[in-house]
Amino acid sequence: MMNSLTERERGNVFLAALQALRPHQWIKNGLLFAGVLFAGKFRDPEALLQASLAFLAFCAVSGGVYVFNDILDWKRDREHPVKRNRPIASGRLPLPGAWVLLLVAWIGGFLGLTALDPSLRLLGIGAAYATLTVSYSLGLKNIAALDVILIALGFVLRAAAGAVAVDTAISPWLIVCTFLLALFLGFGKRRHELLLLGEDGAKHRQSLDEYNKEMLDHLLTITVAATIQSYAIYTILSDTAKHHDGLWYTLPFVVYGLFRYLQLIHRQDEGGSPERIILGDRRLVVCILLWTLSVVVVMFRQ
């Protein structure tokens, strides 16, 4: 019982609960700021506040999804060389506590989305995201290619939520770019898992039995090329580009960033945790900062 826990043990449980929400994954929810950036609303305090609050609400919803996934997979995760250290699989967060954490995260997240948008569009997007990811956890993740497509759609919903939060339209081309970039990151993750787990891969992720290294290398090549092409079209021909001449100057940063990530995948067998690679590689961090700065400069000129 919790009352019998020492102060140190209680603190460890709270730390395990925080880790179960995977705050290092919340960087993915940064896509909610895309609407602020590409609508040129980064100088609008109200828009920034709305996007920030939507970001926090989405972190709660997505954190709940991670907890739900770990509750389902805790036995299998115990056999995984990395996932066995997760709070639920390792036993640091008991299952009853995990269910309570899940409910608190979802109730808080959905209430936040409802408060931010009385029209309930944000709530609808959040519910669609939760439904999509729960369906993924319940079995769709076992179907090769579809597993990564569903993850990519989750990124698209994040970008859409960011646009709704600041009441702005989002370019279809930006949605396409988001989808293709997420596919690229997802296939890189599958490649890393395949190399890490080897013949035991299917025991931990059933879809890995339908992949092989050559197939994933081809998919990475296709998606990185398609991402560059779609972003180039967006920066030249989209309505946003027509109103902000010079957006195409940001293209070289995207090209280098994708090539650098591809280099890390092939030369260092990285890709298992995109958020850790992006935050841990100095060249990628500098590239992303320069890309962001270049977009702000272009938008600010108009």
Side-chain angles (χ1 to χ4, degrees):
M1 295 177 62
M2 183 63 73
N3 291 337
S4 66
L5 295 176
T6 66
E7 183 177 346
R8 179 176 180 180
E9 289 172 331
R10 191 176 297 114
N12 289 339
V13 171
F14 287 134
L15 178 60
L18 176 61
Q19 292 173 340
L21 294 171
R22 301 192 204 175
H24 63 279
Q25 298 272 14
W26 294 351
I27 185 178
K28 299 174 183 177
N29 296 325
L31 272 172
L32 273 87
F33 291 97
V36 172
L37 184 61
F38 288 100
K41 292 191 174 185
F42 46 83
R43 290 175 287 177
D44 182 347
E46 184 178 351
L48 287 172
L49 177 61
Q50 283 288 106
S52 299
L53 293 175
F55 168 82
L56 292 175
F58 235 83
C59 286
V61 174
S62 61
V65 169
Y66 293 132
V67 174
F68 179 78
N69 182 72
D70 288 353
I71 289 174
L72 291 182
D73 291 344
W74 70 273
K75 290 183 179 179
R76 182 179 299 180
D77 287 348
R78 282 188 169 181
E79 306 300 322
H80 192 280
V82 176
K83 295 179 181 180
R84 64 187 178 190
N85 296 316
R86 289 178 175 175
I88 298 174
S90 66
R92 290 184 291 118
L93 179 62
L95 281 176
W99 281 110
V100 172
L101 177 64
L102 167 63
L103 291 175
V104 170
W106 274 353
I107 291 173
F110 286 128
L111 285 178
L113 293 175
T114 302
L116 286 170
D117 179 28
S119 71
L120 303 184
R121 291 179 299 167
L122 264 181
L123 176 63
I125 294 174
Y129 171 81
T131 301
L132 180 76
T133 49
V134 167
S135 299
Y136 169 89
S137 297
L138 289 175
L140 293 181
K141 64 181 180 181
N142 296 323
I143 304 175
L146 180 61
D147 59 339
V148 178
I149 290 174
L150 291 178
I151 292 173
L153 289 175
F155 280 87
V156 170
L157 289 172
R158 287 178 173 97
V164 170
V166 296
D167 195 24
T168 188
I170 188 167
S171 169
W173 279 109
L174 192 57
I175 291 292
V176 171
C177 292
T178 301
F179 179 67
L180 291 170
L181 175 61
L183 285 179
F184 170 68
L185 297 176
F187 287 130
K189 185 172 183 177
R190 291 294 177 268
R191 184 183 187 277
H192 174 81
E193 290 173 338
L194 192 67
L195 294 178
L196 175 67
L197 300 172
E199 295 181 356
D200 293 331
K203 296 179 182 179
H204 302 282
R205 188 183 295 279
Q206 189 174 325
S207 65
L208 290 178
D209 196 39
E210 300 181 48
Y211 287 115
N212 60 46
K213 181 176 176 295
E214 291 72 23
M215 173 188 177
L216 289 167
D217 285 341
H218 285 309
L219 290 172
L220 284 169
T221 301
I222 293 169
T223 51
V224 74
T227 302
I228 292 172
Q229 185 177 36
S230 61
Y231 187 78
I233 293 173
Y234 168 70
T235 58
I236 297 172
L237 299 179
S238 69
D239 290 339
T240 303
K242 292 175 182 177
H243 288 91
H244 299 280
D245 183 41
L247 193 59
W248 61 274
Y249 288 124
T250 67
L251 180 61
F253 298 111
V254 172
V255 173
Y256 175 77
L258 289 171
F259 285 175
R260 173 60 179 170
Y261 196 93
L262 201 60
Q263 179 186 21
L264 294 173
I265 288 176
H266 286 288
R267 297 283 294 181
Q268 300 182 27
D269 292 332
E270 295 282 2
S273 179
E275 60 282 352
R276 294 188 187 279
I277 297 175
I278 292 171
L279 293 176
D281 185 78
R282 186 176 302 174
R283 298 183 193 180
L284 276 177
V285 170
V286 172
C287 180
I288 292 171
L289 290 175
L290 290 176
W291 171 79
T292 304
L293 178 62
S294 66
V295 172
V296 169
V297 169
V298 170
M299 293 294 181
F300 189 79
R301 289 192 314 161
Q302 304 300 319

